[in-house]
Amino acid sequence: MLVNINSSWQAYLQAEFDKPYFANLVTFVRNEYKNGVVYPPGSKIFNAFNSCPFENVKVVLIGQDPYHGEGQAHGLCFSVNEGVQFPPSLQNIFKEIKAEYNKSIPESGNLERWAKQGVLLLNATLTVRANLAGSHQNHGWETFTDAVIKILSDNKEHLVFLLWGSYAQQKGKVIDTSKHLVLKSAHPSPLSVYRGFFGNNHFTQTNEYLRQNHLPEIEW
């Protein structure tokens, strides 16, 4: 199976691409793009990987579904294209960073600046039908992203995994906590942000751990 993905990931993920479930997933996704509006644009499906080569990964942030509104999703979890209004969860993420670092909220919700510093912004499901949240769940993407998390856990050391909400925390069960830092809290959604996301200090804790392991900190 030929997948348009950064070459640094290819060797680690080729075994997944060659499995029958992935062939079925590709067929499903192609049909969805052919027969309707699907986000993100096809060229951005693997943007999380292409924006953050395997050897650069220091932090893994796990989301669930791409945004399903027009012009929002571009393949990085929680991130939106330039000029797009911040969705509520992203707004709350920036509020927490402001509280931790006393930084003003940025003008752009495009988080490529994080990806370039080694933050893998990984959604559990990499595609979605327009205006239909969860429409591409249970077609194989979750199997693939579970494998990605396990491969990172097995092949790297001193990663920080940010698991916000019960869904992400379930995805994190394959992580080896003896060699990585796993930070858990409520999700930044308005429904749960006051149940432990605000005040979690995950951004400063991440940088403290990176500093302790002689790795460059993230400029949030």
Side-chain angles (χ1 to χ4, degrees):
M1 183 70 58
L2 185 63
V3 173
N4 183 19
I5 194 169
N6 183 285
S7 59
S8 67
W9 288 94
Q10 199 80 42
Y12 293 99
L13 297 177
Q14 190 60 49
E16 292 303 307
F17 299 149
D18 290 339
K19 289 178 180 175
Y21 87 85
F22 200 86
N24 293 335
L25 172 61
V26 168
T27 300
F28 166 75
V29 170
R30 279 186 180 147
N31 285 335
E32 287 285 287
Y33 275 92
K34 196 188 301 179
N35 296 318
V37 179
V38 176
Y39 300 126
S43 63
K44 296 290 188 181
I45 293 174
F46 292 100
N47 194 23
F49 302 92
N50 294 332
S51 300
C52 185
F54 185 88
E55 62 274 11
N56 290 4
V57 178
K58 297 185 291 189
V59 180
V60 183
L61 175 53
I62 299 174
Q64 190 166 352
D65 238 19
Y67 296 122
H68 52 80
E70 185 179 358
Q72 292 179 302
H74 64 132
L76 307 178
C77 74
F78 294 105
S79 179
V80 289
N81 279 304
E82 300 288 342
V84 174
Q85 187 176 356
F86 301 166
S89 291
L90 181 58
Q91 207 163 357
N92 288 333
I93 289 167
F94 288 149
K95 284 179 182 175
E96 175 59 23
I97 293 169
K98 182 181 180 183
E100 291 185 39
Y101 285 98
N102 197 25
K103 291 175 68 162
S104 57
I105 288 175
E107 292 181 9
S108 170
N110 187 330
L111 302 181
E112 280 183 6
R113 60 187 182 273
W114 293 4
K116 286 174 181 166
Q117 297 177 75
V119 182
L120 181 69
L121 296 159
L122 181 67
N123 273 317
T125 304
L126 300 191
T127 54
V128 69
R129 206 180 291 176
N131 306 315
L132 204 56
S135 49
H136 286 188
Q137 291 176 5
N138 304 315
H139 287 278
W141 279 131
E142 295 92 339
T143 303
F144 173 69
T145 51
D146 281 349
V148 170
I149 294 164
K150 186 161 190 341
I151 287 164
L152 283 163
S153 175
D154 291 351
N155 289 280
K156 294 183 77 80
E157 291 185 345
H158 308 311
L159 295 178
V160 181
F161 289 87
L162 299 175
L163 308 182
W164 299 337
S166 58
Y167 185 89
Q169 287 160 26
Q170 288 291 319
K171 296 281 289 179
K173 285 185 173 177
V174 297
I175 300 165
D176 182 350
T177 55
S178 70
K179 59 175 184 167
H180 304 291
L181 177 64
V182 176
L183 297 176
K184 302 177 183 179
S185 81
H187 193 275
S189 154
L191 298 172
S192 56
V193 71
Y194 289 103
R195 296 206 295 262
F197 180 80
F198 282 155
N200 66 16
N201 292 312
H202 279 186
F203 300 100
T204 46
Q205 285 187 67
T206 294
N207 278 339
E208 176 63 27
Y209 181 81
L210 294 174
R211 190 163 58 246
Q212 286 172 359
N213 288 287
H214 312 292
L215 294 165
E217 296 176 40
I218 306 297
E219 178 64 44
W220 301 109

